[in-house]
């Protein structure tokens, strides 16, 4: 499973942007983006919104782990 930081980095790479350009679109500093990609911080609501609006990111994919276990299996 990819971490949140790895997912953000994959969005940037998919759009062929360097950290400076990608962070500019998101309205954050390059240093903040670097820390997000390293999973040192969680993105703010504003950053998540910018990912959705500018890159049409599926927020379920971004914010939820890829393997979701159904409650019916354990409930």
């Amino acid at each position: 499973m990819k971490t949140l930081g790895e997912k953000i980095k994959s969005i940037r790479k998919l759009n062929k942007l360097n950290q400076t350009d990608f962070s500019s679109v998101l309205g954050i500093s390059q240093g903040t983006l670097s820390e997000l990609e390293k999973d040192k911080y969680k993105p703010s609501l504003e950053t998540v919104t910018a990912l959705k609006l500018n890159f049409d990111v599926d927020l379920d994919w971004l914010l939820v782990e890829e393997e979701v276990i159904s409650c019916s299996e354990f409930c």
Side-chain angles (χ1 to χ4, degrees):
M1 286 184 279
K2 285 186 174 182
T3 66
L4 182 56
E6 290 169 335
K7 290 177 184 181
I8 292 170
K9 185 175 184 175
S10 70
I11 295 163
R12 177 175 63 81
K13 295 278 190 178
L14 183 66
N15 286 279
K16 299 178 178 155
L17 294 171
N18 59 36
Q19 283 188 339
T20 302
D21 294 337
F22 190 67
S23 62
S24 178
V25 172
L26 296 180
I28 60 176
S29 71
Q30 182 275 326
T32 298
L33 176 60
S34 177
E35 300 295 303
L36 290 172
E37 289 184 355
K38 294 175 187 173
D39 289 302
K40 291 190 177 184
Y41 301 109
K42 300 287 185 205
S44 67
L45 179 58
E46 291 81 8
T47 301
V48 170
T49 302
L51 284 165
K52 173 65 177 165
L53 294 175
N54 293 293
F55 299 100
D56 196 29
V57 172
D58 180 337
L59 296 183
D60 284 335
W61 170 80
L62 181 67
L63 300 174
V64 179
E65 291 186 25
E66 292 178 42
E67 296 178 347
V68 177
I69 299 172
S70 170
C71 180
S72 64
E73 294 179 37
F74 298 102
C75 299

